[in-house]
Amino acid sequence: MSVATASRVLGGGNRSVAPENARKVVEAATRLRYTMDAAARAMNRGSDAIALVADDLATPAVAAVVAAMERQARTVDAFVTVSSTRGLPELQAATVRTLAGFRPRALVLTSTRISHESPDTRVLDELRAFERNGGRVIVYGSGSVQLPFDALAVDDRWSARLMGEHLARTGHRRAIILAGTRERAYAAARTSGYVEGLLAAGADVQDIRIVNCEVSRQGGFDATAQLIREGLDGTDVLVAINDTVAIGVLAACRAAGLDVPGRVSVTGFDDVPLARDLTPGLTTVALPFTEIGVRAIELAVRGRPEGGGPARETFRGSLIVRGSTGVLRAPG
Amino acid sequence: MSVATASRVLGGGNRSVAPENARKVVEAATRLRYTMDAAARAMNRGSDAIALVADDLATPAVAAVVAAMERQARTVDAFVTVSSTRGLPELQAATVRTLAGFRPRALVLTSTRISHESPDTRVLDELRAFERNGGRVIVYGSGSVQLPFDALAVDDRWSARLMGEHLARTGHRRAIILAGTRERAYAAARTSGYVEGLLAAGADVQDIRIVNCEVSRQGGFDATAQLIREGLDGTDVLVAINDTVAIGVLAACRAAGLDVPGRVSVTGFDDVPLARDLTPGLTTVALPFTEIGVRAIELAVRGRPEGGGPARETFRGSLIVRGSTGVLRAPG
DNA sequence: GGCACGACGGGATACGGTTTCCGTCGGTGA
DNA sequence: TCACCGACGGAAACCGTATCCCGTCGTGCC
């Protein structure tokens, strides 16, 4: 048999091969435990890989999406590899560039540090270059809507508004929002969502205070400890930018002997797996990670759409009420 | 400039190039935004990738190791990609085979489902084939010592023994071990470690009971709920095979109104990030994940050792005592 | 029965690098 | 001054696969 024939039957081309020869090739391949060289294959027609670039694999939001992507990818003969970059723009750009060299079918980027406001365009340049060479690019995350790629956006503002409204409706009036830092793309969106919701359901803008903190358990802990030292006076609720921060808030309250939700309510965002196992259970907002992961693969696999701009899909969260928030006043 | 010259300066060979020419090449490369094609490069000399195959990226033990690997890999001009296989032998074998096609520098495998006892050799065959073609293979995990590859083993038995001894020394006599399922490589090792430790510090073998359960929060919850229904009578401590199960145990105790540690102590294994934030904080065993990740990369990068068998390194855990275990009797 | 067409096999080539081999050039010591 | 040596540049081969193109063979139609 010739190389060409073998390539046709193994590589799955459109050209037809005589059934007998095909059988012979397959048999020989299994006999020699032969596998196609993915590297060489990728050189001509691109590989079946879908590469995901994230900030940190340990964050639940990423892990959940990755799991869904893996599962979905199996159904379309693709496979997923993941790289993390700690959110550093330089590493992101380098990683995208390196991965692009392997000619994957698609590149999926998710980062909390990228938005239309961030002036760093290195990553975006790399992504554009990859797309120009025929690759598909999908971005997922809060700031992704403004980017010139297929985007899976989370409507953080809308989702946070749910929380704000719920809090105000259950009688919370004086809120402190632990808003994280500016570099997180979702920070501003969630914060304004919280505020909007609180106002819409009866709170007064003067009773809302916004405090920045590092986005980590320690950041939440430190900020809360500081607030407690300064005196929380009438504060009804500590609204954290995400669950990780909220966990720090809860720890600080516990350390200070502050009853939650008796003395103050606490809320998070993301619904990490362990949120229900905290004491009290954390009131939070759940995001449809599985759906997002599945959709990411679907977008990655389908060819580039003919006309029009990039695809844009928005996902919304849902409120999960647990024990960390009380009812201060009957809902009106 | 010739292609060869450019390759030498960009590819970083051992051949020397005139400094002036090197500068010219680099300058031209940046000017044209040129990047080497990783796929083509991998065809001849292998790529700089280090591929990690794990069961599930969301498990803290994996996430922590990956993070350390990523960081370490930067220091040696390698980069890490991760794939997950849900622990299914078929997927593992297919994934290893696919990844091997990209000719990575090394393949790191970690799985709770592989040990010398598991009769499934498909993955091992693939790994052997990869090694025969010049690749490096590193396995990490409980059952890895018996495998014919460089191994980073965790001494689960020794580490669990720490816990058993601590429990017996603090007066716990009647223990129920929630031992997970047989297919987990670490299950047997941890269980016997627990038992050994308890016995060594004064417990009686008749007072130790071993119960199997699914290795998940729900598995721990269900098993504990069942035990509580049957009556815990004199049980001093519920010893879980890992933190995830322990979290389920705690939840079941809470649901049944059983005070921890007043009525019964609870322990875990792994020291997941949120273990300290549970109420009460979870007494558990911490593993040196960072160290393991760093070492994995070091092994992956170094050439195959000359003589002798594969490298074998063992890591041991340390006891972390928190509020979920009480002192029933002054340590004697 | 002859011809046109379709199906299929095989050689050649492209892909984008690395590596080997050889030739040249400059410097140095006898 | 010449022979020798080391350093470096350039041409060419090669890696494994997909694809183009052409030749051949079989088949169906007129």
Side-chain angles (χ1 to χ4, degrees):
Chain A
M1 289 297 97
S2 76
V3 213
T5 310
S7 169
R8 279 195 272 264
V9 34
L10 262 32
N14 26 23
R15 266 292 283 279
S16 53
V17 177
E20 188 202 359
N21 287 339
R23 195 188 46 72
K24 276 206 280 189
V25 169
V26 170
E27 187 196 334
T30 56
R31 186 158 43 79
L32 301 174
R33 314 194 76 257
Y34 170 84
T35 332
M36 275 187 316
D37 186 310
R41 184 167 217 237
M43 230 170 82
N44 292 347
R45 48 103 76 184
S47 74
D48 288 335
I50 296 174
L52 175 67
V53 179
D55 289 345
D56 173 13
L57 301 185
T59 47
V62 172
V65 170
V66 172
M69 284 177 63
E70 293 261 8
R71 203 164 294 232
Q72 180 69 15
R74 304 287 174 194
T75 69
V76 294
D77 278 330
F79 78 100
V80 177
T81 71
V82 194
S83 305
S84 66
T85 62
R86 280 176 278 155
L88 309 176
E90 203 154 346
L91 274 187
Q92 285 178 333
T95 304
V96 167
R97 165 169 263 191
T98 305
L99 289 174
F102 285 101
R103 305 176 180 268
R105 206 144 145 177
L107 232 34
V108 182
L109 177 79
T110 171
S111 173
T112 62
R113 313 288 176 91
I114 291 190
S115 73
H116 62 305
E117 295 176 4
S118 83
D120 194 292
T121 60
R122 279 173 291 182
V123 195
L124 302 183
D125 289 342
E126 295 293 346
L127 289 175
R128 251 190 297 268
F130 176 69
E131 207 172 35
R132 229 180 301 118
N133 290 347
R136 304 245 325 117
V137 174
I138 290 101
V139 291
Y140 146 60
S142 193
S144 57
V145 207
Q146 292 89 358
L147 268 29
F149 305 107
D150 284 3
L152 299 175
V154 172
D155 194 339
D156 282 295
R157 182 170 186 155
W158 188 94
S159 309
R161 192 186 157 114
L162 282 183
M163 176 66 82
E165 286 178 358
H166 169 76
L167 289 172
R169 266 204 301 271
T170 48
H172 299 82
R173 285 294 172 268
R174 312 194 57 169
I176 298 181
I177 299 175
L178 292 140
T181 48
R182 293 226 158 279
E183 85 235 21
R184 303 277 174 162
Y186 55 73
R190 289 187 187 171
T191 303
S192 33
Y194 288 144
V195 173
E196 280 179 26
L198 284 163
L199 296 183
D204 190 304
V205 70
Q206 296 180 22
D207 295 330
I208 301 175
R209 190 170 149 204
I210 296 175
V211 175
N212 287 311
C213 66
E214 196 196 322
V215 182
S216 66
R217 177 188 185 281
Q218 195 63 41
F221 187 96
D222 292 345
T224 306
Q226 175 72 16
L227 287 171
I228 291 174
R229 270 197 302 278
E230 294 172 1
L232 243 39
D233 21 57
T235 302
D236 296 323
V237 58
L238 297 170
V239 181
I241 198 73
N242 71 14
D243 284 357
T244 305
V245 170
I247 286 165
V249 173
L250 284 174
C253 289
R254 198 180 318 129
L258 218 60
D259 182 45
V260 176
R263 179 74 175 70
V264 65
S265 294
V266 174
T267 71
F269 199 112
D270 279 347
D271 194 28
V272 301
L274 268 57
R276 59 191 289 204
D277 287 305
L278 298 166
T279 312
L282 185 61
T283 294
T284 187
V285 174
L287 261 19
F289 293 126
T290 303
E291 202 184 332
I292 292 171
V294 169
R295 200 70 191 109
I297 296 297
E298 287 176 354
L299 283 179
V301 167
R302 94 168 172 191
R304 204 189 313 248
E306 289 304 322
R312 306 222 172 282
E313 299 187 24
T314 302
F315 297 85
R316 294 179 158 178
S318 52
L319 186 67
I320 308 247
V321 179
R322 298 205 181 92
S324 71
T325 50
V327 177
L328 306 191
R329 200 177 314 178
Chain B
M1 290 299 98
S2 76
V3 214
T5 312
S7 171
R8 279 195 272 263
V9 35
L10 262 33
N14 28 20
R15 271 290 285 282
S16 51
V17 178
E20 188 202 359
N21 289 338
R23 195 189 45 72
K24 276 206 281 188
V25 169
V26 170
E27 187 197 332
T30 55
R31 187 160 41 80
L32 301 174
R33 317 195 74 257
Y34 170 84
T35 330
M36 277 186 317
D37 186 310
R41 183 169 217 234
M43 234 170 78
N44 292 349
R45 48 104 73 188
S47 75
D48 288 335
I50 295 174
L52 174 68
V53 179
D55 290 344
D56 173 12
L57 301 185
T59 46
V62 172
V65 170
V66 171
M69 285 177 63
E70 294 261 6
R71 201 165 297 231
Q72 180 68 15
R74 305 289 173 192
T75 69
V76 293
D77 279 329
F79 79 100
V80 177
T81 71
V82 194
S83 305
S84 66
T85 61
R86 280 175 278 155
L88 309 175
E90 203 154 348
L91 274 186
Q92 285 179 332
T95 304
V96 167
R97 167 168 262 189
T98 305
L99 290 174
F102 285 100
R103 303 179 182 271
R105 205 144 145 179
L107 230 35
V108 182
L109 177 79
T110 171
S111 173
T112 62
R113 312 288 175 92
I114 290 188
S115 73
H116 62 306
E117 296 176 2
S118 83
D120 194 292
T121 59
R122 278 173 290 183
V123 195
L124 302 183
D125 288 344
E126 296 292 346
L127 289 175
R128 252 189 296 269
F130 176 69
E131 207 173 36
R132 230 180 298 118
N133 291 348
R136 304 247 322 117
V137 175
I138 289 102
V139 291
Y140 147 60
S142 194
S144 57
V145 206
Q146 291 89 358
L147 269 29
F149 305 106
D150 283 3
L152 299 175
V154 172
D155 194 339
D156 282 295
R157 182 169 186 155
W158 189 93
S159 310
R161 193 186 157 114
L162 282 183
M163 177 66 80
E165 285 177 359
H166 169 76
L167 288 173
R169 267 204 301 272
T170 49
H172 298 83
R173 285 293 172 269
R174 310 194 58 170
I176 297 182
I177 299 175
L178 291 139
T181 48
R182 293 226 159 281
E183 86 236 18
R184 303 277 174 161
Y186 55 74
R190 290 186 187 172
T191 302
S192 34
Y194 287 145
V195 172
E196 279 178 27
L198 284 163
L199 296 183
D204 190 303
V205 70
Q206 295 179 22
D207 294 331
I208 302 175
R209 190 169 149 206
I210 296 175
V211 175
N212 287 313
C213 66
E214 196 196 322
V215 182
S216 66
R217 179 188 185 280
Q218 194 62 43
F221 187 95
D222 292 346
T224 306
Q226 176 71 18
L227 287 171
I228 292 175
R229 269 197 303 278
E230 294 172 0
L232 242 39
D233 20 57
T235 303
D236 295 324
V237 58
L238 297 171
V239 181
I241 199 73
N242 70 13
D243 284 357
T244 305
V245 170
I247 286 165
V249 173
L250 284 174
C253 289
R254 197 180 319 127
L258 218 59
D259 182 45
V260 176
R263 178 76 174 69
V264 66
S265 294
V266 173
T267 72
F269 199 112
D270 279 347
D271 194 28
V272 301
L274 268 58
R276 60 191 288 205
D277 286 305
L278 298 166
T279 311
L282 185 61
T283 294
T284 186
V285 174
L287 262 19
F289 293 126
T290 303
E291 202 184 331
I292 292 172
V294 169
R295 201 69 192 107
I297 297 296
E298 287 176 354
L299 283 179
V301 168
R302 94 167 173 194
R304 204 190 313 250
E306 289 305 318
R312 307 223 170 283
E313 299 188 23
T314 302
F315 297 85
R316 294 178 159 179
S318 51
L319 187 66
I320 309 248
V321 179
R322 297 203 182 92
S324 71
T325 50
V327 176
L328 306 191
R329 202 176 312 177

